[in-house]
Amino acid sequence: MGDERISRVVTALRAKGLRAEHSYPGRWSPHLTSPAAAVNLQKETPECYVVGVDIYGPTEQGGVACEGAAQSAKAVLTELGAVPRVGECGYSEKNGLLCLHVSGTWVKRLPYTVKINQLSVPYATSFTAKQIISLNPLEALGEGVTRVVRGSNCWKLTVEEMLPAGSTMKRELTGEFVISVIYPGTTVKYRGCRWEYTFWEETSAGVRQVRVARTWKEREMTGG
């Protein structure tokens, strides 16, 4: 899958008139006469693919040419469905060329859709539901014998997302809400949810957001 995605990026860059190859950074000849792109798989995780496009250009053309090529790469990545990120133009002492790193992140599609109330969670990378049942011991019925009864139970629901870099964090719901998980032919709903906590982690692919909710209501299943 990674090689196929890289090939698509290379082909699209060439269609834009930019010299491009499937390679690693720093493999370009130091005798370039115009900007060129080295495309490689920067990262692959269970949540996303990140493809790197390293733009190299001759110093005599200045940073403008490199930045123009980077904007073309950004447009290509956007057209291919990635969330692009453009770095700053710099100088590579290794090969005596100007360089600029562009990356594109594709969030892997889940086999289901997650909704909070009626709104889809577009960057969801996983959803987990754990049922927690409390067991309450009663007073001993005899030596070595203790009666245990089932107490209250709840669902702990975790929604994980990979947000594009620079995303604005939305204000969380303070009241009750519904989480729906829609599978082919089946919908599972968790009503009466309330957020318990949220945390964020800055990564090279974007912002990893994890939100945890709880509900004490039974889940509802409809469909096949």
Side-chain angles (χ1 to χ4, degrees):
M1 181 63 74
D3 286 346
E4 177 185 346
R5 200 174 294 275
I6 290 171
S7 296
R8 290 172 58 197
V9 174
V10 169
T11 300
L13 289 172
R14 289 174 179 172
K16 291 282 188 181
L18 184 64
R19 178 182 172 186
E21 297 290 344
H22 180 174
S23 183
Y24 291 100
R27 288 190 178 178
W28 291 102
S29 164
H31 303 295
L32 291 178
T33 58
S34 62
V39 185
N40 62 87
L41 181 62
Q42 183 176 322
K43 181 198 298 187
E44 180 177 353
T45 70
E47 295 81 22
C48 66
Y49 295 102
V50 183
V51 170
V53 180
D54 290 281
I55 306 294
Y56 294 93
T59 55
E60 57 268 24
Q61 291 188 354
V64 174
C66 239
E67 290 169 350
Q71 289 303 312
S72 295
K74 177 182 177 182
V76 163
L77 292 169
T78 301
E79 291 170 4
L80 293 176
V83 177
R85 190 172 189 175
V86 180
E88 297 180 357
C89 188
Y91 178 74
S92 172
E93 294 184 358
K94 182 177 180 179
N95 48 30
L97 297 170
L98 294 176
C99 58
L100 200 159
H101 181 70
V102 183
S103 66
T105 301
W106 285 266
V107 175
K108 295 182 180 179
R109 294 186 179 275
L110 296 172
Y112 51 82
T113 300
V114 180
K115 287 187 175 182
I116 297 176
N117 287 335
Q118 299 301 316
L119 298 178
S120 295
V121 183
Y123 301 110
T125 57
S126 73
F127 171 82
T128 57
K130 295 182 180 180
Q131 189 174 34
I132 301 172
I133 301 173
S134 63
L135 298 176
N136 302 324
L138 297 181
E139 62 184 36
L141 301 179
E143 186 177 351
V145 179
T146 302
R147 182 183 176 191
V148 177
V149 296
R150 177 171 174 168
S152 62
N153 63 286
C154 70
W155 287 94
K156 180 179 179 181
L157 312 170
T158 304
V159 180
E160 185 166 341
E161 302 161 81
M162 182 62 72
L163 307 176
S167 295
T168 301
M169 302 303 173
K170 296 181 180 179
R171 178 178 294 180
E172 294 290 13
L173 299 169
T174 55
E176 292 188 352
F177 55 90
V178 179
I179 294 180
S180 302
V181 186
I182 304 169
Y183 302 90
T186 305
T187 298
V188 182
K189 289 188 177 182
Y190 302 87
R191 300 183 185 275
C193 298
R194 287 182 180 273
W195 291 121
E196 189 171 77
Y197 65 86
T198 302
F199 74 84
W200 301 273
E201 177 186 6
E202 291 280 354
T203 73
S204 59
V207 180
R208 177 172 172 261
Q209 176 174 267
V210 179
R211 294 183 286 176
V212 177
R214 285 184 189 266
T215 178
W216 277 261
K217 294 185 178 182
E218 290 295 329
R219 67 180 179 179
E220 302 172 9
M221 300 182 68
T222 58

